[in-house]
Amino acid sequence: MNLIHLGVNIDHIATLRNVRGNKYPDLVHAAAIAEMAGADSITIHLREDRRHVLDRDVQILSETLQTQMNLEMAMTDEMIKIALNNKPEYVCFVPEKRKELTTEGGLDVVRQAKKVKTAIKKLNAAGIRVSLFIDSDHDQIDAATSCGASFIELHTGAYANAKNPKNRQDELKKIADGAAYAASMGIAVNAGHGLNYYNVSPVAALPEIHELNIGHSIISRAVFDGLQKAIADMKVIIQSARN
Ligand SMILES: CC(=O)[C@@H](O)[C@H](O)COP(=O)(O)O
Ligand SMILES: NCC(=O)COP(=O)(O)O
């Protein structure tokens, strides 16, 4: 069987923690559960605005992860320094816009090929492999290959957000075409963004895809999956206090 890997993105555990400035829910705890459940890698996106994952999380997770860290980040000197200090197995360069709710598009590797190449060289020299989060476009795939990236991650957001079946099918075709083209160029292919329990299967079926990175939908489902027990546990505690 052609195995596919699952990278679990735990950003939104940090969103929940930061909203109250608490110590919980803790990312180390979340990552350990994800790994015990079968995650092949743990993805975290250290955003420049630190809206969820924090520098401290990267540092602690780099000491505790049993699998592999896929550190998503903007391609800036500050972020590259953080990666070099923490040595994740993978860095994935992602474009960031300050006001976006979540990542809106792929990295323009064609336009900044020289900068991408230099950054990849620096990280590779420290033993860190680099992935580029790009749209499914032949020119971008060619540029990623010639810059020396180990992987590309195809942005599945347009597919996931498509409002009608025809658009969704068109977006799926683009991803399928990009995956096949990238494989023919000899570069490994991951994919992710906005994948959920209802839309993931057609993407997972594409044979060239090595790993899917999925976060928001998994963390969201976990809330409902655990809600009944969480309430029952609290009932036991408050009732026991009266006994
Ligand atoms: C690159 C990508 O698709 C995800 O990492 C996404 O950007 C997660 O970041 P947020 O959790 O901040 O949306
Ligand atoms: N790189 C994509 C990712 O990490 C997960 O994104 P999402 O499932 O939270 O949209």
Side-chain angles (χ1 to χ4, degrees), residues 153-230:
E153 179 166 328
L154 295 175
H155 190 342
T156 54
Y159 161 77
N161 295 331
K163 293 279 179 270
N164 66 60
K166 160 95 175 66
N167 289 353
R168 191 169 311 121
Q169 209 48 38
D170 290 347
E171 292 299 335
L172 179 64
K173 272 194 197 138
K174 287 188 208 163
I175 298 168
D177 171 72
Y181 181 69
S184 78
M185 298 296 293
I187 189 162
V189 192
N190 298 334
H193 196 88
L195 296 175
N196 62 37
Y197 296 84
Y198 305 98
N199 64 22
V200 72
S201 296
V203 180
L206 301 174
E208 298 87 1
I209 292 185
H210 165 72
E211 178 170 278
L212 293 177
N213 283 307
I214 307 179
H216 189 264
S217 62
I218 292 178
I219 304 306
S220 302
R221 174 169 286 217
V223 171
F224 286 144
D225 234 24
L227 190 57
Q228 196 173 345
K229 179 172 183 316

Side-chain angles (χ1 to χ4, degrees), residues 9 11-12 15 43-45 47 51-52 72 92 94-95 100-104 133 153 155 192-194 213 216:
N9 180 321
D11 290 352
H12 298 293
T15 304
T43 292
I44 46 176
H45 186 169
R47 282 186 171 270
R51 67 175 70 165
H52 40 54
E72 296 184 331
C92 180
V94 175
E100 67 189 359
L101 265 185
T102 185
T103 311
E104 289 174 350
F133 189 70
E153 179 166 328
H155 190 342
H193 196 88
N213 283 307
H216 189 264

